[in-house]
Structures are given as structure tokens and as C-alpha cells.
Amino acid sequence: MRSPVLPSHLPARFASGAYILNSGLSKRNAPQEVAQGLHGFAATAYPFLGQVEPKKFVKALSTAEIVLGSALLLPFVPTALVATGLAAFSGGLLGLYLRVPGMREPGSLRWTEQGQAIAKDVFLAGIAGTLLADSARRAKDAG
């Protein structure tokens, strides 16, 4: 029986997992002002989030980041599973980058100073894509 995780996956999983887990833990007890800021930012890109109370939104975001970050750090959780979660998470972050005004230079994908903090999340999408592609290749080779 094959292991669900290759040793070569561990550096990418640990780096992204530690980053996401830390982010989730830092939001866990966010003050009201921080919750309102994060919520407002997210609701600009995803208007349906405007219906969610800011503290509940940040608590849910924090929980999702803690779960995903922990799963990435646990080597017995199959790579295909955590890579799917990482792809969804990074897709949401890149959606913020693409949808929130002021993140990019007009008519370009190049970031502005305000967008740089989110533009770097393209690395998380790259890690997810690499892990998913490798998992699919391994599944094809096994089957």
C-alpha cells in the first residue's frame, strides 16, 4: 500500500501549513475593529458575505485556516485532500486580489502597494497545483 504522502511533498506542505495555521491562530480572538476590517474587505470581493456578522465571519475564517493549516502539517492526511483544500483557499484569496479595487494596477495583473500582501498568495495556489498534479499522476500510475 502506498503512503498518502511523499517525502518530497513535506516541505511545501509544512511551509504553507505553518503559514496558514499561524494566520488562523492570529485571527482567533480578533478585536471588533479588526473583524470589521477583514469582513469589509472580504465582502467587497464577495458581496454575499455582507450578510454575515463580522465577528462570526472572522471566527469561521480563523477556524477554516486552523483546520487547513493543521491538515497540511499532519503527514498522514492524504496530499490530494489537503491540496484540494489549499486550492480552494488560495482561489478565494486570489479572488480578493482580482476583485477588490486598488489591489492591481488598472488594466493589469501587476499589484499595487496595497495589493502586494495578497498577490503573494499566488504561491499558495502554485503549491496546491503542484501537489494536485503530482497526486493525480500517482493515482494514474497506481491504477
Side-chain angles (χ1 to χ4, degrees):
M1 181 175 165
R2 280 188 159 177
S3 167
V5 178
L6 290 176
S8 60
H9 294 169
L10 295 177
R13 286 183 60 158
F14 287 172
S16 57
Y19 179 84
I20 294 168
L21 177 60
N22 183 63
S23 179
L25 291 171
S26 70
K27 289 179 183 86
R28 198 67 185 151
N29 296 307
Q32 184 66 29
E33 307 80 47
V34 172
Q36 288 172 333
L38 289 169
H39 177 260
F41 186 64
T44 298
Y46 302 107
F48 71 91
L49 292 175
Q51 301 171 23
V52 180
E53 190 268 320
K55 284 292 263 184
K56 284 186 179 182
F57 166 76
V58 172
K59 183 100 171 179
L61 176 60
S62 169
T63 300
E65 289 180 335
I66 290 168
V67 169
L68 177 58
S70 297
L72 282 157
L73 291 169
L74 296 171
F76 56 82
V77 179
T79 293
L81 179 64
V82 296
T84 301
L86 182 58
F89 179 72
S90 62
L93 292 171
L94 292 176
L96 289 170
Y97 178 70
L98 294 172
R99 294 175 177 199
V100 173
M103 296 289 108
R104 298 176 291 118
E105 292 180 4
S108 173
L109 289 177
R110 293 180 54 145
W111 63 79
T112 61
E113 187 175 329
Q114 295 83 7
Q116 185 174 6
I118 294 188
K120 55 96 179 108
D121 291 328
V122 72
F123 291 105
L124 295 175
I127 290 168
T130 299
L131 293 174
L132 284 170
D134 194 51
S135 295
R137 182 195 53 79
R138 288 184 73 213
K140 181 183 173 208
D141 291 349

